[in-house]
């Protein structure tokens, strides 16, 4: 449940009268678009699009640059689905995306 706090001048000298939303979702995607990434149906995480030049295809290009070429990808709404029939390679893709999604 979202929590909203209304501050008045007496208890918040810096931002009097400001309402602050403390919901986790608010802070995750408030000012950025994002998409979710799945590999073989497994959720890998969210990729924030931080600038206007960022695109969903950047993630696929990143995998190609890391020598992953035997997979298929599909964009559906704000989700990127990556499928690879080779279980060993899909594990490496998951490991690579885990790092990529957490450092970007």
């Amino acid at each position: 449940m979202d929590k909203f706090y209304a501050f008045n001048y007496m208890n918040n000298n810096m931002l009097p009268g400001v309402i602050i939303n403390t919901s986790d979702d608010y802070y995750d995607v408030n000012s950025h678009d994002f998409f979710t990434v799945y590999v073989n149906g497994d959720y890998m995480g969210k990729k924030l699009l931080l600038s206007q030049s960022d695109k969903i295809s950047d993630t696929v290009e990143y995998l190609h640059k890391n020598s992953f070429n035997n997979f298929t990808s599909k964009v559906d709404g704000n989700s990127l689905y990556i499928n690879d029939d080779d279980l060993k390679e899909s594990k490496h893709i998951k490991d690579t995306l885990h790092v990529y999604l957490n450092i970007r």
Side-chain angles (χ1 to χ4, degrees):
M1 183 168 162
D2 293 347
K3 297 176 186 170
F4 293 91
Y5 297 101
F7 292 98
N8 61 34
Y9 187 74
M10 296 304 289
N11 63 12
N12 184 357
N13 291 329
M14 292 177 29
L15 301 170
V18 172
I19 297 174
I20 298 175
N21 181 351
T22 61
S23 149
D24 290 337
D25 291 337
Y26 177 82
Y27 292 108
D28 287 344
V29 296
N30 181 34
S31 61
H32 302 291
D33 289 331
F34 72 96
F35 63 93
T36 54
V37 179
Y38 298 86
V39 175
N40 290 346
D42 295 332
Y43 175 78
M44 299 306 304
K46 291 180 182 177
K47 171 68 171 102
L48 291 177
L49 302 175
L50 299 173
S51 71
Q52 290 181 342
S53 63
D54 287 344
K55 4 183 222 316
I56 291 177
S57 61
D58 293 342
T59 301
V60 174
E61 291 173 19
Y62 178 79
L63 291 174
H64 286 301
K65 288 178 184 176
N66 281 278
S67 302
F68 297 110
N69 296 307
N70 298 322
F71 65 88
T72 60
S73 62
K74 175 185 166 188
V75 175
D76 184 16
N78 69 337
S79 297
L80 172 64
Y81 296 94
I82 298 170
N83 291 304
D84 192 330
D85 293 332
D86 182 347
L87 294 178
K88 187 174 182 181
E89 184 170 287
S90 68
K91 170 137 178 35
H92 290 297
I93 288 174
K94 288 178 181 182
D95 292 342
T96 301
L97 284 176
H98 178 74
V99 172
Y100 176 75
L101 295 173
N102 286 306
I103 61 170
R104 301 267 178 182

